[in-house]
Amino acid sequence: MGEEIHSSQFDAQDYARFEQRLQQETALLRNWLQEGRLATTEAQGGFELEAWLVDEQLQPAPINEAFLKRLDTPLASPELASFNFEVNSTPRYLAGEVFTAMHTELTETWRHCWDTAAALDARAVMIGILPTVENESLTLANMSRMQRYRALNREVVRMRHGKPLVLDINGEEHLRVTHRDVMLESAATSFQIHLKLTPQNAVPLFNASIILAGPMVALSANSPFLFGKSLWDESRIPVFEQAVAVGGYDAARFGPIRRVTFGDGYVKQSLMECFEDNLAHYPVMLPVDLGEAPEQLAHLRMHNGTIWRWNRPLIGFEEDGTPHLRVEHRVVPAGPTLVDTIANAAFYYGAVTALANMPIPPRRQLAFDRARDNFYAAARLGLRARQQWFEDKQLSASELIQKVLLPLAREGLAQLGVSESDSRRYLDVIAQRVASGKNGARWQRDYVKQHGKDMRALTAAYLERQQQGEPVHEWSL
């Protein structure tokens, strides 16, 4: 989905041609996996950070075109809405002082973003859902001027037979609004963590990412308000799931087709199962003729980009053209600060590695349905959520992270060869955040409880503390 397309209008021949290419490329990937053609490099990681642009009134500022032109870096790109943008990291081997290097690069990139926004009388903000955003801002007039986004919107409307999208969230309060386009999706911004896989470790790491989804949401939740309503601790989860709900029913799965999905089971033998699932069960959404050789897997990757699993398998290519596998862990929101962001990544990389290396596969110790229940419980209640764990244990998310997952994360980072100083520095941020019970969502709720439900004041206070840079567990009210 990251590449621009040349048309947003399609006919029956386009769908037929794309389907044929998709089948061909899926078969090719299957053969490559069987033949051992995929890269087997050491563990590498990277991330994508989505963010907001706001004006002097802290309202969304639809200026990403001018902002990105002035920013002038290959590490940044537009998002669906013209008030959102994305910055990327350089992929790095997960060893030594890797998180210090990630933190340094992100600090430099973010400072450049901040200065560039300021030159346009705007500010850049990292937060899951901007408290000041209103439904009136989420219109096609504020869509980024790219064909792929207009095509995506047109196809979602077509697949829904013109019926409006309904956003319906029951949290501390109830929100129900209708929308006729996909712009609701732009209300939610995330921090997407990438981990390169090998054919040998892909299955255990992918399944461990699924198991970690609940605890990761609990410790990082940062989206409690939308349109002035107090909803879930991580309201970004239901917002995104409902924003591109296209309807439809798959008899083979005995249920609705969900393009944003936690999935319906662990991977058993190979990540090929996900790409076979894409082909068999998900109608083509963007039937673009990409004009590339089958070996580029361009159509397979485009189709995969229109299926938003919370843990999504990706295909990429090395500099020498060798294909590789990655998992994109999509459950974490943006913010609150740079150090919180890198700490979230460090915890994920360590915990997922240790879980994947367990002698008894974790998927045999925690049923998939329980991992899914953990995810939605954590999205609702954050660190207060109950989590089901191995040996039928039930713990709060805080207890699970403190007693079980933090020791595993330290062990996993040691297995990767991450320096002890880096491991201690960033995992201590997680430990103190969880011990205090104060993630981004908790701070926002506590601020509103003390100062009243003024979304502009909340955003101003949040932005001030974000710029000061102290981790969220140290923020004052």
Side-chain angles (χ1 to χ4, degrees):
M1 283 298 294
E3 297 181 4
E4 180 58 314
I5 61 177
H6 301 296
S7 174
S8 61
Q9 301 280 355
F10 310 113
D11 58 28
Q13 289 184 333
D14 294 320
Y15 287 96
R17 180 171 51 245
F18 191 98
E19 186 76 28
Q20 184 178 24
R21 293 296 298 272
L22 182 59
Q23 292 176 5
Q24 181 183 13
E25 292 172 15
T26 303
L28 184 60
L29 177 59
R30 186 187 311 115
N31 291 339
W32 285 353
L33 281 165
Q34 292 172 350
E35 296 166 2
R37 291 271 307 277
L38 273 70
T40 57
T41 54
E42 296 179 26
Q44 286 182 272
F47 55 78
E48 304 167 62
L49 174 63
E50 299 169 348
W52 295 78
L53 293 164
V54 298
D55 61 21
E56 293 179 342
Q57 302 304 314
L58 302 182
Q59 295 295 319
I63 58 168
N64 70 2
E65 189 171 351
F67 169 80
L68 291 167
K69 183 177 181 180
R70 183 183 286 255
L71 192 68
D72 190 27
T73 172
L75 293 178
S77 58
E79 279 291 315
L80 172 64
S82 55
F83 44 72
N84 294 144
F85 66 98
E86 174 185 285
V87 295
N88 299 283
S89 70
T90 303
R92 299 179 187 276
Y93 288 104
L94 297 174
E97 296 184 343
V98 58
F99 301 117
T100 296
M102 285 181 171
H103 195 173
T104 299
E105 180 185 60
L106 183 57
T107 299
E108 292 173 355
T109 302
W110 189 252
R111 185 179 297 118
H112 186 28
C113 291
W114 180 262
D115 292 344
T116 302
L120 296 168
D121 297 321
R123 301 179 188 181
V125 188
M126 295 177 288
I127 191 168
I129 294 177
L130 183 71
T132 55
V133 71
E134 296 291 345
N135 199 17
E136 292 74 19
S137 296
L138 305 179
T139 67
L140 294 180
N142 285 332
M143 179 179 282
S144 291
R145 294 199 303 171
M146 300 185 74
Q147 291 279 12
R148 75 173 187 265
Y149 294 133
R150 302 193 182 285
L152 175 66
N153 181 69
R154 186 173 289 111
E155 289 302 295
V156 167
V157 172
R158 180 188 65 82
M159 295 173 84
R160 291 186 60 82
H161 306 290
K163 291 192 288 188
L165 292 154
V166 178
L167 182 65
D168 194 333
I169 305 173
N170 272 303
E172 291 191 356
E173 297 178 279
H174 181 217
L175 174 66
R176 181 182 172 88
V177 296
T178 59
H179 219 75
R180 293 197 172 274
D181 52 59
V182 298
M183 287 294 288
L184 274 172
E185 178 190 334
S186 64
T189 55
S190 63
F191 173 64
Q192 298 160 12
I193 309 171
H194 289 237
L195 175 61
K196 189 178 287 187
L197 312 172
T198 69
Q200 292 72 36
N201 66 23
V203 169
L205 283 170
F206 191 83
N207 288 335
S209 297
I210 291 172
I211 288 170
L212 274 177
M216 285 295 296
V217 169
L219 67 88
S220 64
N222 195 29
S223 314
F225 297 106
L226 177 61
F227 305 155
K229 297 285 190 178
S230 179
L231 302 171
W232 295 12
D233 272 21
E234 190 47 33
S235 305
R236 184 180 58 90
I237 302 299
V239 167
F240 192 31
E241 290 192 344
Q242 296 179 38
V244 287
V246 295
Y249 189 89
D250 187 341
R253 301 167 81 119
F254 303 101
I257 299 168
R258 300 189 187 279
R259 307 276 315 197
V260 183
T261 176
F262 192 76
D264 55 10
Y266 292 120
V267 171
K268 298 178 177 60
Q269 301 295 328
S270 164
L271 292 194
M272 193 65 217
E273 294 161 27
C274 296
F275 295 101
E276 299 278 13
D277 196 45
N278 290 356
L279 177 64
H281 299 297
Y282 288 92
V284 171
M285 183 174 280
L286 296 179
V288 185
D289 185 0
L290 296 168
E292 297 188 23
E295 289 74 17
Q296 296 301 311
L297 304 183
H299 300 80
L300 179 145
R301 290 185 290 136
M302 171 67 78
H303 186 53
N304 189 53
T306 67
I307 302 160
W308 294 272
R309 293 179 175 87
W310 289 112
N311 289 280
R312 180 160 64 181
L314 300 176
I315 299 290
F317 291 90
E318 307 288 293
E319 290 185 2
D320 64 2
T322 303
H324 70 245
L325 289 167
R326 299 197 308 277
V327 58
E328 181 184 43
H329 192 63
R330 302 172 52 83
V331 306
V332 179
T337 65
L338 299 178
V339 68
D340 286 307
T341 295
I342 301 301
N344 291 338
F347 178 84
Y348 166 76
Y349 288 129
V352 79
T353 298
L355 283 170
N357 289 339
M358 283 183 166
I360 301 176
R363 71 181 178 90
R364 300 191 185 282
Q365 303 186 65
L366 185 72
F368 179 85
D369 288 351
R370 293 189 172 187
R372 181 170 52 202
D373 290 346
N374 286 347
F375 175 66
Y376 290 106
R380 285 179 180 274
L381 297 173
L383 289 167
R384 299 166 294 155
R386 300 298 296 176
Q387 300 281 280
Q388 304 171 80
W389 199 244
F390 303 168
E391 299 175 348
D392 293 325
K393 291 181 179 177
Q394 296 240 357
L395 306 91
S396 70
S398 293
E399 291 175 310
L400 176 61
I401 295 165
Q402 288 178 300
K403 296 179 180 179
V404 179
L405 294 177
L406 268 167
L408 280 175
R410 297 184 196 280
E411 178 185 330
L413 292 183
Q415 292 172 2
L416 288 167
V418 172
S419 72
E420 185 178 347
S421 61
D422 250 30
S423 176
R424 183 172 59 253
R425 177 185 179 187
Y426 292 101
L427 293 186
D428 280 358
V429 171
I430 300 297
Q432 293 174 60
R433 186 195 306 165
V434 174
S436 71
K438 187 160 57 173
N439 55 20
R442 185 74 267 150
W443 181 86
Q444 290 185 60
R445 290 195 190 280
D446 288 348
Y447 184 91
V448 166
K449 185 176 180 180
Q450 181 163 322
H451 299 280
K453 193 187 284 187
D454 181 334
M455 294 295 107
R456 187 180 185 281
L458 169 63
T459 304
Y462 177 99
L463 184 57
E464 178 185 5
R465 288 156 181 76
Q466 181 173 97
Q467 285 306 112
Q468 291 170 349
E470 298 301 321
V472 70
H473 68 267
E474 297 181 8
W475 286 12
S476 66
L477 293 175

